[in-house]
Amino acid sequence: PKSYLEFINSYTCLLDEKRGEVTAATLRLENGLSKLRDTSKRVAKLELELKDMLENAAIQKENAEQLAEEVSKEKEITEKETANAQVEKEQVAKIQEEVLQKQ
């Protein structure tokens, strides 16, 4: 600078430019922090929902296991009854055959 006034003028311009940069950086930082806070709230909400879903899934799994156990027991009973019915069917067929031969 050739004179003190030019120095002050260039310093003022430089100061305004740096203030603008700092203001822009501050705004960008505030926006980033705001997004981080929002994301943090969403994550906390999702964690609660996930916890509820996992509890519900555990309950449903337990119910399904109980149902499968009941079905297995009923299937076993049905198989035994079917086997008994088959034996009786064979016995009835023999008796019927004997009756037909005697007639």
Side-chain angles (χ1 to χ4, degrees):
K2 293 183 180 182
S3 71
Y4 185 69
L5 291 176
E6 285 180 11
F7 175 72
I8 291 177
N9 190 26
S10 66
Y11 179 78
T12 306
C13 289
L14 182 62
L15 182 62
D16 289 340
E17 182 182 324
K18 292 298 177 182
R19 279 186 182 159
E21 290 174 5
V22 169
T23 301
T26 303
L27 287 174
R28 195 172 74 233
L29 180 62
E30 287 175 357
N31 288 336
L33 288 173
S34 174
K35 288 181 183 180
L36 285 174
R37 286 186 198 109
D38 290 342
T39 303
S40 177
K41 289 177 185 177
R42 288 181 186 169
V43 166
K45 182 179 176 182
L46 288 173
E47 285 176 341
L48 289 175
E49 290 176 3
L50 179 61
K51 182 181 175 185
D52 290 341
M53 290 172 73
L54 288 174
E55 289 173 359
N56 289 338
I59 291 170
Q60 289 178 354
K61 179 183 176 186
E62 184 177 318
N63 291 341
E65 287 174 351
Q66 289 175 353
L67 181 62
E69 186 178 322
E70 289 176 18
V71 168
S72 176
K73 287 178 182 178
E74 289 179 13
K75 181 181 176 185
E76 187 177 315
I77 291 169
T78 304
E79 287 174 352
K80 287 179 183 178
E81 289 178 359
T82 302
N84 290 339
Q86 184 66 30
V87 168
E88 284 187 40
K89 180 181 175 183
E90 290 172 3
Q91 289 174 353
V92 169
K94 284 181 184 179
I95 293 171
Q96 186 178 17
E97 199 175 303
E98 290 173 7
V99 168
L100 287 175
Q101 286 178 0
K102 287 183 181 178
Q103 288 182 353

XYZ file of all heavy atoms in Angstrom:
823
model
N 0.846 -1.195 0.000
C 0.000 0.000 0.000
C 0.883 1.248 0.000
O 1.868 1.330 0.731
C -0.803 -0.087 1.264
C -0.315 -1.295 2.009
C 0.664 -1.979 1.180
N 0.457 2.238 -0.775
C 1.229 3.461 -0.906
C 0.889 4.456 0.182
O 1.694 5.307 0.519
C 0.992 4.096 -2.275
C 1.549 3.244 -3.376
C 1.376 3.911 -4.687
C 1.959 3.031 -5.785
N 1.856 3.639 -7.082
N -0.298 4.311 0.711
C -0.655 5.249 1.765
C -1.391 4.515 2.868
O -1.837 3.368 2.719
C -1.529 6.365 1.204
O -2.803 5.859 0.897
N -1.506 5.173 3.969
C -2.181 4.618 5.124
C -3.644 4.356 4.820
O -4.196 3.344 5.255
C -1.999 5.581 6.307
C -2.561 5.054 7.591
C -1.964 3.973 8.240
C -3.690 5.619 8.172
C -2.489 3.486 9.422
C -4.218 5.138 9.358
C -3.607 4.060 9.979
O -4.121 3.582 11.145
N -4.297 5.219 4.055
C -5.712 5.046 3.699
C -5.902 3.815 2.821
O -6.882 3.067 2.980
C -6.244 6.293 2.998
C -6.380 7.536 3.879
C -6.820 8.725 3.040
C -7.375 7.295 4.993
N -5.008 3.586 1.891
C -5.088 2.378 1.072
C -4.922 1.133 1.935
O -5.601 0.119 1.734
C -4.017 2.407 -0.023
C -4.323 3.335 -1.158
C -3.218 3.317 -2.220
O -2.332 2.428 -2.164
O -3.251 4.183 -3.084
N -4.021 1.207 2.894
C -3.811 0.097 3.817
C -5.083 -0.196 4.614
O -5.492 -1.345 4.753
C -2.640 0.409 4.761
C -2.443 -0.624 5.818
C -1.920 -1.881 5.500
C -2.792 -0.363 7.143
C -1.737 -2.833 6.486
C -2.619 -1.322 8.110
C -2.080 -2.556 7.787
N -5.681 0.834 5.141
C -6.920 0.670 5.914
C -8.033 0.136 5.014
O -8.802 -0.750 5.416
C -7.335 1.998 6.583
C -6.330 2.343 7.688
C -8.740 1.917 7.148
C -6.588 3.663 8.368
N -8.126 0.653 3.811
C -9.152 0.207 2.859
C -8.953 -1.276 2.513
O -9.919 -2.060 2.508
C -9.109 1.076 1.602
C -10.292 0.809 0.709
O -11.334 0.381 1.163
N -10.122 1.072 -0.586
N -7.725 -1.676 2.238
C -7.471 -3.087 1.901
C -7.693 -3.976 3.134
O -8.203 -5.092 3.021
C -6.068 -3.267 1.342
O -5.104 -2.986 2.329
N -7.322 -3.447 4.304
C -7.563 -4.210 5.538
C -9.065 -4.395 5.772
O -9.509 -5.484 6.138
C -6.915 -3.493 6.735
C -7.149 -4.205 8.039
C -6.418 -5.336 8.375
C -8.130 -3.762 8.935
C -6.627 -6.002 9.568
C -8.352 -4.421 10.126
C -7.606 -5.544 10.438
O -7.825 -6.194 11.617
N -9.858 -3.365 5.538
C -11.311 -3.431 5.699
C -11.911 -4.438 4.724
O -12.778 -5.245 5.103
C -11.953 -2.046 5.474
O -11.317 -1.097 6.323
C -13.422 -2.061 5.776
N -11.431 -4.407 3.470
C -11.914 -5.371 2.476
C -11.561 -6.798 2.889
O -12.403 -7.706 2.812
C -11.333 -5.060 1.105
S -12.011 -3.569 0.369
N -10.334 -6.986 3.309
C -9.887 -8.306 3.741
C -10.667 -8.766 4.974
O -11.079 -9.926 5.068
C -8.382 -8.277 4.042
C -7.760 -9.608 4.451
C -7.886 -10.624 3.316
C -6.303 -9.409 4.831
N -10.910 -7.847 5.909
C -11.679 -8.158 7.108
C -13.108 -8.560 6.746
O -13.636 -9.558 7.274
C -11.686 -6.954 8.055
C -12.423 -7.142 9.385
C -11.762 -8.241 10.204
C -12.467 -5.838 10.156
N -13.731 -7.828 5.824
C -15.086 -8.173 5.373
C -15.104 -9.550 4.701
O -16.024 -10.353 4.913
C -15.632 -7.118 4.407
C -15.970 -5.800 5.107
O -16.141 -5.819 6.350
O -16.072 -4.767 4.415
N -14.107 -9.824 3.898
C -14.021 -11.119 3.221
C -13.876 -12.250 4.240
O -14.578 -13.271 4.161
C -12.818 -11.115 2.266
C -12.649 -12.386 1.474
C -11.407 -12.316 0.582
O -11.091 -11.224 0.054
O -10.773 -13.376 0.426
N -12.994 -12.060 5.215
C -12.783 -13.092 6.242
C -14.039 -13.257 7.110
O -14.385 -14.369 7.492
C -11.572 -12.742 7.120
C -10.255 -12.815 6.398
C -9.984 -14.226 5.904
C -8.691 -14.290 5.127
N -8.437 -15.627 4.601
N -14.716 -12.160 7.426
C -15.967 -12.255 8.186
C -17.005 -13.065 7.418
O -17.721 -13.881 7.995
C -16.521 -10.867 8.480
C -15.874 -10.204 9.648
C -16.562 -8.905 9.988
N -15.897 -8.250 11.102
C -15.983 -6.973 11.381
N -16.727 -6.183 10.608
N -15.355 -6.464 12.410
N -17.073 -12.835 6.119
C -18.004 -13.601 5.285
C -17.665 -15.086 5.302
O -18.564 -15.940 5.401
N -16.373 -15.401 5.186
C -15.943 -16.797 5.226
C -16.273 -17.434 6.574
O -16.757 -18.574 6.634
C -14.440 -16.896 4.956
C -14.043 -16.577 3.534
C -12.538 -16.545 3.325
O -11.780 -16.867 4.274
O -12.097 -16.186 2.217
N -16.008 -16.694 7.651
C -16.296 -17.218 8.991
C -17.798 -17.396 9.185
O -18.252 -18.406 9.749
C -15.697 -16.292 10.077
C -16.205 -16.660 11.458
C -14.184 -16.342 10.043
N -18.587 -16.449 8.690
C -20.048 -16.551 8.803
C -20.552 -17.764 8.025
O -21.390 -18.524 8.515
C -20.724 -15.266 8.281
O -20.241 -14.147 9.043
C -22.223 -15.336 8.413
N -20.011 -17.947 6.816
C -20.419 -19.104 6.011
C -20.022 -20.407 6.700
O -20.814 -21.373 6.739
C -19.799 -19.024 4.621
N -18.825 -20.447 7.251
C -18.361 -21.647 7.950
C -19.216 -21.898 9.195
O -19.560 -23.052 9.502
C -16.892 -21.510 8.334
N -19.587 -20.837 9.891
C -20.431 -20.971 11.078
C -21.801 -21.514 10.698
O -22.330 -22.415 11.370
C -20.587 -19.606 11.784
O -19.293 -19.100 12.125
C -21.409 -19.730 13.044
N -22.375 -20.995 9.627
C -23.682 -21.481 9.167
C -23.601 -22.950 8.767
O -24.493 -23.746 9.089
C -24.186 -20.638 7.999
C -24.671 -19.232 8.344
C -25.003 -18.466 7.071
C -25.888 -19.295 9.252
N -22.545 -23.298 8.053
C -22.363 -24.686 7.635
C -22.228 -25.592 8.858
O -22.827 -26.675 8.930
C -21.137 -24.797 6.735
C -21.088 -26.106 5.967
C -19.984 -26.128 4.927
N -18.686 -26.290 5.583
C -17.641 -25.495 5.399
N -17.704 -24.476 4.563
N -16.516 -25.710 6.025
N -21.480 -25.147 9.859
C -21.305 -25.917 11.083
C -22.631 -26.051 11.831
O -22.979 -27.134 12.311
C -20.260 -25.246 11.976
C -19.967 -25.931 13.314
C -19.399 -27.324 13.071
C -19.015 -25.092 14.138
N -23.380 -24.966 11.933
C -24.687 -25.020 12.608
C -25.640 -25.967 11.882
O -26.372 -26.731 12.527
C -25.291 -23.618 12.701
C -24.601 -22.732 13.725
C -25.130 -21.303 13.728
O -25.994 -20.967 12.891
O -24.679 -20.521 14.573
N -25.645 -25.924 10.556
C -26.488 -26.840 9.786
C -26.077 -28.294 10.021
O -26.923 -29.170 10.184
C -26.433 -26.510 8.293
C -27.173 -25.249 7.942
O -28.071 -24.821 8.652
N -26.788 -24.630 6.843
N -24.777 -28.519 10.024
C -24.276 -29.873 10.272
C -24.653 -30.368 11.660
O -25.094 -31.511 11.826
N -24.510 -29.506 12.662
C -24.880 -29.883 14.021
C -26.377 -30.152 14.136
O -26.807 -31.087 14.814
C -24.462 -28.791 15.012
C -22.964 -28.673 15.274
C -22.673 -27.459 16.141
C -22.436 -29.935 15.927
N -27.167 -29.336 13.462
C -28.618 -29.534 13.465
C -28.970 -30.892 12.857
O -29.806 -31.632 13.401
C -29.287 -28.403 12.691
O -30.670 -28.635 12.571
N -28.329 -31.216 11.747
C -28.585 -32.513 11.114
C -28.136 -33.657 12.006
O -28.814 -34.689 12.090
C -27.887 -32.585 9.753
C -28.554 -31.717 8.706
C -27.865 -31.810 7.378
C -28.539 -30.863 6.370
N -27.910 -30.927 5.069
N -27.020 -33.496 12.692
C -26.548 -34.533 13.610
C -27.536 -34.726 14.765
O -27.812 -35.857 15.171
C -25.168 -34.185 14.161
C -23.999 -34.383 13.201
C -22.707 -33.853 13.829
C -23.839 -35.847 12.851
N -28.067 -33.629 15.293
C -29.063 -33.733 16.369
C -30.315 -34.452 15.876
O -30.842 -35.323 16.570
C -29.425 -32.343 16.893
C -28.351 -31.722 17.746
C -28.816 -30.399 18.352
N -27.684 -29.643 18.805
C -27.214 -28.539 18.249
N -27.803 -28.024 17.180
N -26.162 -27.931 18.742
N -30.798 -34.057 14.687
C -31.980 -34.717 14.123
C -31.725 -36.205 13.910
O -32.573 -37.047 14.228
C -32.379 -34.068 12.792
C -32.945 -32.671 12.957
O -33.339 -32.324 14.090
O -32.998 -31.934 11.952
N -30.560 -36.519 13.378
C -30.211 -37.913 13.138
C -30.129 -38.683 14.449
O -30.591 -39.824 14.544
C -28.874 -38.011 12.380
O -28.981 -37.269 11.158
C -28.507 -39.444 12.074
N -29.573 -38.065 15.459
C -29.473 -38.697 16.773
C -30.865 -39.011 17.327
O -31.101 -40.097 17.872
C -28.714 -37.780 17.734
O -28.671 -38.355 19.016
N -31.796 -38.064 17.186
C -33.170 -38.287 17.645
C -33.817 -39.425 16.864
O -34.501 -40.279 17.437
C -34.000 -37.016 17.489
C -33.628 -35.937 18.472
C -34.437 -34.672 18.226
C -33.980 -33.540 19.124
N -34.710 -32.287 18.836
N -33.608 -39.448 15.562
C -34.176 -40.517 14.735
C -33.603 -41.870 15.109
O -34.320 -42.875 15.171
C -33.918 -40.243 13.255
C -34.750 -39.114 12.699
C -34.462 -38.912 11.235
N -35.157 -37.737 10.721
C -34.939 -37.203 9.553
N -34.033 -37.736 8.739
N -35.610 -36.142 9.163
N -32.299 -41.918 15.352
C -31.655 -43.172 15.733
C -32.215 -43.667 17.071
O -32.494 -44.857 17.231
C -30.117 -43.012 15.797
C -29.462 -44.183 16.502
C -29.551 -42.839 14.407
N -32.392 -42.746 18.022
C -32.954 -43.137 19.317
C -34.368 -43.692 19.137
O -34.728 -44.708 19.747
C -32.970 -41.945 20.258
N -35.152 -43.050 18.284
C -36.518 -43.516 18.021
C -36.485 -44.893 17.358
O -37.241 -45.793 17.730
C -37.249 -42.516 17.127
C -38.676 -42.873 16.842
C -39.339 -41.832 15.966
C -40.756 -42.246 15.603
N -41.399 -41.278 14.717
N -35.599 -45.066 16.383
C -35.475 -46.350 15.703
C -35.007 -47.449 16.659
O -35.447 -48.597 16.558
C -34.518 -46.244 14.518
C -35.040 -45.470 13.309
C -33.928 -45.295 12.280
C -36.229 -46.168 12.693
N -34.121 -47.094 17.598
C -33.661 -48.070 18.576
C -34.824 -48.549 19.441
O -34.940 -49.741 19.734
C -32.551 -47.484 19.455
C -31.214 -47.378 18.752
C -30.155 -46.702 19.600
O -30.499 -46.003 20.581
O -28.967 -46.858 19.265
N -35.700 -47.616 19.852
C -36.870 -47.997 20.644
C -37.803 -48.898 19.833
O -38.304 -49.905 20.340
C -37.622 -46.752 21.118
C -36.929 -45.922 22.201
C -37.712 -44.649 22.486
C -36.769 -46.741 23.471
N -38.023 -48.516 18.581
C -38.884 -49.328 17.726
C -38.285 -50.719 17.524
O -39.003 -51.720 17.552
C -39.093 -48.639 16.373
C -39.953 -47.396 16.435
C -40.056 -46.674 15.104
O -39.501 -47.155 14.099
O -40.699 -45.611 15.082
N -36.983 -50.773 17.325
C -36.306 -52.055 17.137
C -36.425 -52.910 18.391
O -36.671 -54.119 18.303
C -34.834 -51.834 16.783
C -33.988 -53.084 16.584
C -34.543 -53.927 15.434
C -32.547 -52.718 16.321
N -36.270 -52.290 19.553
C -36.395 -53.018 20.806
C -37.792 -53.619 20.920
O -37.939 -54.798 21.261
C -36.127 -52.083 21.982
C -36.194 -52.748 23.334
C -35.931 -51.757 24.446
C -36.110 -52.412 25.805
N -35.977 -51.446 26.893
N -38.817 -52.825 20.610
C -40.199 -53.330 20.646
C -40.390 -54.459 19.643
O -41.030 -55.478 19.948
C -41.198 -52.202 20.361
C -41.285 -51.198 21.495
O -40.869 -51.536 22.625
O -41.778 -50.077 21.256
N -39.853 -54.284 18.451
C -39.994 -55.306 17.419
C -39.312 -56.607 17.831
O -39.842 -57.699 17.596
C -39.430 -54.802 16.090
C -40.267 -53.699 15.449
S -39.478 -52.955 14.022
C -39.670 -54.259 12.833
N -38.144 -56.500 18.448
C -37.425 -57.696 18.898
C -38.204 -58.405 20.005
O -38.259 -59.641 20.036
C -36.017 -57.332 19.380
C -35.024 -56.952 18.286
C -33.715 -56.473 18.897
C -34.780 -58.109 17.345
N -38.803 -57.632 20.913
C -39.615 -58.234 21.972
C -40.816 -58.954 21.366
O -41.140 -60.076 21.758
C -40.068 -57.173 22.973
C -38.944 -56.636 23.845
C -39.370 -55.474 24.713
O -40.549 -55.054 24.641
O -38.532 -54.978 25.485
N -41.475 -58.295 20.409
C -42.622 -58.920 19.740
C -42.196 -60.173 18.982
O -42.914 -61.179 18.988
C -43.306 -57.934 18.789
C -44.048 -56.843 19.517
O -44.417 -57.002 20.678
N -44.270 -55.721 18.861
N -41.050 -60.111 18.341
C -40.555 -61.269 17.593
C -40.264 -62.427 18.540
O -40.550 -63.590 18.223
C -39.298 -60.899 16.805
N -39.718 -62.123 19.705
C -39.427 -63.182 20.681
C -40.728 -63.828 21.159
O -40.805 -65.066 21.281
C -38.645 -62.610 21.862
N -41.734 -63.014 21.400
C -43.032 -63.542 21.827
C -43.642 -64.402 20.725
O -44.140 -65.504 20.978
C -43.984 -62.386 22.221
C -43.489 -61.727 23.503
C -45.413 -62.888 22.391
C -44.193 -60.428 23.850
N -43.587 -63.905 19.500
C -44.139 -64.660 18.374
C -43.366 -65.965 18.157
O -43.953 -66.991 17.819
C -44.133 -63.817 17.107
C -45.155 -62.692 17.138
C -45.104 -61.824 15.895
O -44.232 -61.983 15.057
N -46.039 -60.906 15.792
N -42.067 -65.927 18.351
C -41.256 -67.138 18.207
C -41.667 -68.160 19.254
O -41.823 -69.349 18.947
C -39.765 -66.793 18.362
C -38.860 -67.989 18.262
C -37.418 -67.606 18.491
C -36.524 -68.840 18.494
N -35.148 -68.527 18.845
N -41.854 -67.694 20.488
C -42.269 -68.593 21.560
C -43.646 -69.199 21.248
O -43.851 -70.403 21.413
C -42.312 -67.823 22.880
C -42.632 -68.690 24.082
C -42.600 -67.892 25.364
O -41.680 -67.057 25.531
O -43.493 -68.102 26.202
N -44.566 -68.357 20.778
C -45.895 -68.851 20.407
C -45.811 -69.870 19.276
O -46.505 -70.890 19.293
C -46.811 -67.695 20.007
C -47.181 -66.808 21.176
O -47.061 -67.201 22.326
N -47.621 -65.593 20.888
N -44.967 -69.593 18.302
C -44.808 -70.512 17.168
C -44.217 -71.841 17.632
O -44.629 -72.906 17.158
C -43.927 -69.876 16.096
N -43.263 -71.785 18.548
C -42.667 -73.016 19.061
C -43.700 -73.838 19.821
O -43.746 -75.065 19.692
C -41.469 -72.691 19.955
C -40.254 -72.210 19.185
C -39.126 -71.746 20.076
O -39.319 -71.634 21.312
O -38.041 -71.480 19.541
N -44.541 -73.161 20.618
C -45.599 -73.871 21.347
C -46.587 -74.499 20.369
O -47.010 -75.640 20.546
C -46.332 -72.919 22.297
C -45.504 -72.501 23.488
C -46.213 -71.470 24.349
O -47.273 -70.970 23.988
N -45.616 -71.147 25.489
N -46.949 -73.736 19.343
C -47.875 -74.256 18.343
C -47.268 -75.453 17.615
O -47.947 -76.458 17.389
C -48.242 -73.155 17.338
C -49.226 -73.534 16.245
C -50.561 -73.934 16.847
C -49.393 -72.373 15.272
N -46.000 -75.369 17.280
C -45.331 -76.475 16.601
C -45.301 -77.709 17.497
O -45.497 -78.836 17.023
C -43.907 -76.074 16.203
N -45.083 -77.499 18.781
C -45.071 -78.618 19.716
C -46.457 -79.259 19.799
O -46.582 -80.486 19.785
C -44.634 -78.121 21.099
C -44.444 -79.216 22.116
C -43.958 -78.683 23.451
O -43.133 -77.741 23.440
O -44.396 -79.205 24.476
N -47.494 -78.432 19.855
C -48.863 -78.959 19.900
C -49.192 -79.717 18.613
O -49.785 -80.804 18.665
C -49.865 -77.818 20.091
C -49.832 -77.203 21.467
C -50.761 -76.011 21.598
O -51.673 -75.848 20.755
O -50.561 -75.233 22.541
N -48.809 -79.164 17.492
C -49.060 -79.823 16.208
C -48.326 -81.148 16.154
O -48.860 -82.153 15.673
C -48.655 -78.901 15.024
C -48.622 -79.657 13.719
C -49.608 -77.714 14.940
N -47.104 -81.166 16.649
C -46.315 -82.408 16.658
C -47.004 -83.470 17.506
O -47.095 -84.635 17.095
C -44.913 -82.117 17.195
O -44.171 -83.292 17.306
N -47.490 -83.069 18.678
C -48.193 -84.017 19.546
C -49.463 -84.526 18.869
O -49.750 -85.724 18.894
C -48.542 -83.362 20.881
C -47.356 -83.149 21.780
C -47.758 -82.453 23.055
C -46.564 -82.180 23.960
N -46.954 -81.457 25.177
N -50.215 -83.609 18.268
C -51.444 -84.002 17.593
C -51.155 -84.910 16.394
O -51.898 -85.856 16.139
C -52.235 -82.770 17.150
C -52.861 -82.009 18.308
C -53.615 -80.767 17.869
O -53.878 -80.611 16.650
O -53.948 -79.968 18.750
N -50.077 -84.629 15.704
C -49.687 -85.465 14.563
C -49.347 -86.868 15.035
O -49.744 -87.859 14.410
C -48.492 -84.839 13.840
C -48.034 -85.629 12.637
C -46.839 -84.965 11.981
C -46.331 -85.822 10.832
N -45.112 -85.283 10.258
N -48.636 -86.963 16.144
C -48.268 -88.259 16.693
C -49.529 -89.042 17.082
O -49.642 -90.242 16.781
C -47.373 -88.053 17.916
C -46.782 -89.312 18.484
C -45.853 -89.010 19.650
O -45.032 -88.082 19.535
O -45.961 -89.727 20.664
N -50.466 -88.357 17.732
C -51.728 -89.003 18.117
C -52.483 -89.467 16.874
O -52.998 -90.581 16.812
C -52.586 -88.046 18.969
C -51.920 -87.830 20.333
C -53.996 -88.577 19.137
C -52.535 -86.704 21.152
N -52.527 -88.598 15.876
C -53.232 -88.933 14.638
C -52.598 -90.126 13.948
O -53.294 -91.001 13.434
C -53.238 -87.721 13.691
O -53.821 -86.617 14.365
C -54.001 -87.998 12.422
N -51.276 -90.180 13.934
C -50.579 -91.309 13.319
C -50.904 -92.610 14.052
O -51.131 -93.652 13.417
C -49.074 -91.056 13.291
C -48.648 -90.019 12.280
C -47.163 -89.674 12.355
O -46.478 -90.134 13.296
O -46.701 -88.928 11.478
N -50.946 -92.558 15.384
C -51.290 -93.751 16.159
C -52.721 -94.177 15.856
O -52.993 -95.371 15.664
C -51.127 -93.486 17.653
C -49.697 -93.416 18.109
C -49.605 -93.126 19.592
C -48.146 -92.991 20.038
N -48.060 -92.672 21.473
N -53.626 -93.217 15.838
C -55.027 -93.531 15.557
C -55.190 -94.069 14.133
O -55.982 -94.988 13.898
C -55.908 -92.305 15.773
C -56.056 -91.929 17.238
C -56.882 -90.678 17.447
O -57.338 -90.056 16.456
O -57.077 -90.317 18.609
N -54.450 -93.513 13.199
C -54.505 -93.989 11.817
C -53.995 -95.426 11.749
O -54.581 -96.271 11.054
C -53.664 -93.080 10.899
O -54.159 -91.747 10.995
C -53.728 -93.532 9.455
N -52.933 -95.713 12.468
C -52.390 -97.076 12.485
C -53.409 -98.037 13.102
O -53.638 -99.131 12.569
C -51.075 -97.113 13.259
N -54.025 -97.617 14.198
C -55.054 -98.454 14.831
C -56.240 -98.655 13.890
O -56.793 -99.760 13.795
C -55.540 -97.827 16.142
C -54.490 -97.882 17.223
O -53.565 -98.690 17.161
N -54.627 -97.028 18.224
N -56.632 -97.595 13.204
C -57.741 -97.693 12.255
C -57.390 -98.631 11.120
O -58.250 -99.407 10.656
C -58.097 -96.315 11.713
N -56.156 -98.601 10.682
C -55.723 -99.495 9.601
C -55.785 -100.947 10.053
O -56.231 -101.823 9.324
C -54.297 -99.124 9.141
C -53.807 -99.920 7.967
C -54.603 -99.644 6.700
O -55.132 -98.559 6.498
N -54.717 -100.658 5.859
N -55.352 -101.191 11.298
C -55.399 -102.548 11.848
C -56.847 -103.015 11.924
O -57.187 -104.137 11.535
C -54.717 -102.602 13.241
C -55.004 -103.928 13.946
C -53.227 -102.366 13.107
N -57.727 -102.145 12.427
C -59.138 -102.497 12.515
C -59.736 -102.729 11.131
O -60.550 -103.640 10.943
C -59.923 -101.404 13.246
C -59.719 -101.425 14.737
C -60.626 -100.442 15.454
O -61.802 -100.316 15.061
O -60.137 -99.810 16.400
N -59.328 -101.920 10.186
C -59.822 -102.072 8.814
C -59.437 -103.446 8.270
O -60.243 -104.136 7.645
C -59.250 -100.960 7.927
C -59.696 -101.034 6.486
C -59.064 -99.908 5.686
C -59.404 -100.040 4.216
N -58.753 -99.009 3.414
N -58.189 -103.844 8.535
C -57.725 -105.148 8.077
C -58.501 -106.272 8.767
O -58.882 -107.265 8.132
C -56.225 -105.290 8.328
C -55.375 -104.411 7.433
C -53.905 -104.418 7.820
O -53.524 -105.161 8.768
O -53.133 -103.670 7.189
N -58.763 -106.098 10.064
C -59.519 -107.109 10.801
C -60.953 -107.203 10.274
O -61.501 -108.298 10.104
C -59.533 -106.790 12.301
C -58.197 -107.003 12.975
C -58.202 -106.541 14.427
O -59.170 -105.936 14.888
N -57.120 -106.832 15.128
N -61.556 -106.047 10.017
C -62.916 -106.021 9.471
C -62.935 -106.671 8.096
O -63.864 -107.427 7.755
C -63.466 -104.579 9.427
C -64.744 -104.507 8.614
C -63.688 -104.050 10.829
N -61.928 -106.406 7.289
C -61.858 -107.010 5.955
C -61.755 -108.523 6.070
O -62.396 -109.269 5.298
C -60.676 -106.443 5.184
N -60.960 -109.044 7.020
C -60.834 -110.483 7.221
C -62.168 -111.073 7.654
O -62.599 -112.110 7.149
C -59.770 -110.793 8.276
C -58.360 -110.633 7.783
C -57.379 -110.992 8.883
C -55.950 -110.747 8.446
N -54.992 -111.079 9.520
N -62.825 -110.387 8.597
C -64.118 -110.874 9.078
C -65.133 -110.864 7.944
O -65.897 -111.825 7.762
C -64.616 -110.035 10.278
C -63.701 -110.258 11.482
C -66.053 -110.383 10.628
C -63.964 -109.331 12.645
N -65.122 -109.818 7.180
C -66.058 -109.724 6.052
C -65.783 -110.833 5.043
O -66.696 -111.453 4.519
C -65.931 -108.349 5.385
C -66.951 -108.113 4.304
C -66.809 -106.710 3.701
O -65.778 -106.062 3.869
N -67.841 -106.266 3.007
N -64.539 -111.094 4.799
C -64.161 -112.159 3.862
C -64.622 -113.521 4.393
O -65.150 -114.349 3.641
C -62.637 -112.131 3.677
C -62.153 -112.842 2.438
C -60.650 -112.655 2.284
O -60.180 -111.504 2.229
O -59.956 -113.693 2.241
N -64.449 -113.743 5.696
C -64.882 -114.999 6.303
C -66.395 -115.159 6.218
O -66.909 -116.242 5.928
C -64.439 -115.074 7.763
C -62.946 -115.245 7.950
C -62.527 -115.156 9.417
O -63.415 -115.091 10.306
O -61.326 -115.147 9.667
N -67.082 -114.042 6.446
C -68.545 -114.067 6.387
C -68.988 -114.373 4.966
O -69.921 -115.177 4.735
C -69.163 -112.744 6.904
C -70.644 -112.672 6.566
C -68.920 -112.585 8.382
N -68.351 -113.783 3.993
C -68.726 -114.006 2.604
C -68.436 -115.472 2.194
O -69.178 -116.063 1.416
C -67.982 -113.065 1.669
C -68.450 -111.604 1.693
C -67.548 -110.741 0.816
C -69.897 -111.485 1.239
N -67.372 -116.041 2.722
C -67.041 -117.429 2.385
C -68.027 -118.405 3.020
O -68.333 -119.443 2.452
C -65.618 -117.760 2.859
C -64.544 -117.128 2.012
C -63.158 -117.429 2.542
O -62.993 -118.112 3.558
N -62.141 -116.938 1.846
N -68.552 -118.047 4.169
C -69.488 -118.934 4.857
C -70.859 -118.859 4.213
O -71.654 -119.780 4.350
C -69.593 -118.566 6.327
C -68.361 -118.960 7.104
C -68.513 -118.650 8.557
C -67.256 -119.023 9.334
N -67.367 -118.691 10.730
N -71.165 -117.846 3.515
C -72.497 -117.729 2.880
C -72.601 -118.497 1.662
O -72.357 -119.045 0.850
C -72.818 -116.264 2.598
C -73.106 -115.495 3.831
C -73.471 -114.051 3.507
O -73.373 -113.619 2.371
N -73.876 -113.326 4.485
